[in-house]
Amino acid sequence: GFSLICVNDGVQHSLDLHSHDVTSRKALAAVRQIVGRMKSPVGILGTSSGAIVASVALAVEPRLTSGVLIAGGAGMAEIIAKSQGEVMANLRQQRLNRFRWTGVEYHAQLQQAIRLDVSDFADGFYGKRIGTVVALKDRTVPVRNQLRLESLTGATRIDSVNDDHVASIVKSYLTSSWRVVQFLERNL
């Protein structure tokens, strides 16, 4: 048997640019604390921003040897700055109006504010067995960012879902769950 930690999208959205980084750091600390208490082999599964946290956890936590990342991406500042998902697009517009930034200035501010990005942990994936489910019509986490995460982690594609962000996550649980379980069983 094995234990599995599931990390979902838990970002608290506010005008504070640091909120993304703070939430991710808290989630990462919680994952590391949970892993430290488990005895059996431990895997991790993350969806959306939870997949971003899960990928960083895989890179820095030696006891996590395998995981599955669903509709997550690399380049958090770019994802937030360019997301066309309703929540992120509304938040971007509020921030642009409030601080009177251009889109380029907004992206630059996010890059300064976000210190926890999976792109900084590329060396931590050596020997880890990682699978991905990519949402092919995702407007919340752009496909190129999902593919960047897949490439950065050396992940194996478990499935591709031809839908938007939320529908792809739901469909991956409904149609890909057996492949996800098999991947984890083989790799833990």
Side-chain angles (χ1 to χ4, degrees):
F2 61 88
S3 298
L4 182 66
I5 299 171
C6 295
V7 186
N8 295 317
D9 181 4
V11 173
Q12 299 296 319
H13 303 291
S14 74
L15 291 179
D16 179 6
L17 296 183
H18 296 91
S19 63
H20 307 282
D21 202 53
V22 169
T23 302
S24 295
R25 287 180 184 280
K26 286 179 180 179
L28 178 60
V31 166
R32 294 192 82 183
Q33 187 174 54
I34 292 166
V35 168
R37 294 181 177 164
M38 296 180 148
K39 304 293 182 223
S40 60
V42 184
I44 192 163
L45 182 143
T47 61
S48 191
S49 64
I52 298 169
V53 170
S55 62
V56 174
L58 277 159
V60 301
E61 183 55 54
R63 291 214 38 231
L64 287 174
T65 58
S66 184
V68 176
L69 312 172
I70 300 171
M76 191 184 302
E78 180 182 354
I79 293 167
I80 295 165
K82 297 187 177 177
S83 174
Q84 295 302 309
E86 183 179 354
V87 172
M88 295 312 299
N90 288 340
L91 182 60
R92 177 179 52 251
Q93 195 56 54
Q94 288 174 20
R95 287 171 171 169
L96 292 176
N97 291 342
R98 170 84 159 90
F99 299 110
R100 303 201 191 288
W101 290 325
T102 66
V104 171
E105 291 169 328
Y106 178 50
H107 188 192
Q109 291 294 325
L110 285 165
Q111 285 178 308
Q112 289 180 2
I114 295 172
R115 294 276 142 237
L116 185 67
D117 194 289
V118 66
S119 302
D120 298 329
F121 296 91
D123 293 340
F125 300 110
Y126 181 77
K128 305 285 177 137
R129 293 167 304 277
I130 302 169
T132 57
V133 177
V134 175
L136 296 174
K137 292 184 179 176
D138 199 332
R139 296 180 56 217
T140 300
V141 178
V143 175
R144 74 170 175 222
N145 296 88
Q146 293 179 62
L147 297 177
R148 189 179 310 151
L149 178 64
E150 189 174 66
S151 174
L152 180 72
T153 61
T156 300
R157 175 93 48 99
I158 295 173
D159 202 358
S160 299
V161 181
N162 198 25
D163 219 322
D164 68 13
H165 191 70
V166 173
S168 290
I169 292 169
V170 171
K171 285 180 180 179
S172 71
Y173 281 112
L174 297 174
T175 64
S176 306
S177 59
W178 181 242
R179 281 177 272 184
V180 168
V181 169
Q182 286 179 317
F183 179 87
L184 291 167
E185 284 179 336
R186 279 193 314 270
N187 291 296
L188 282 172

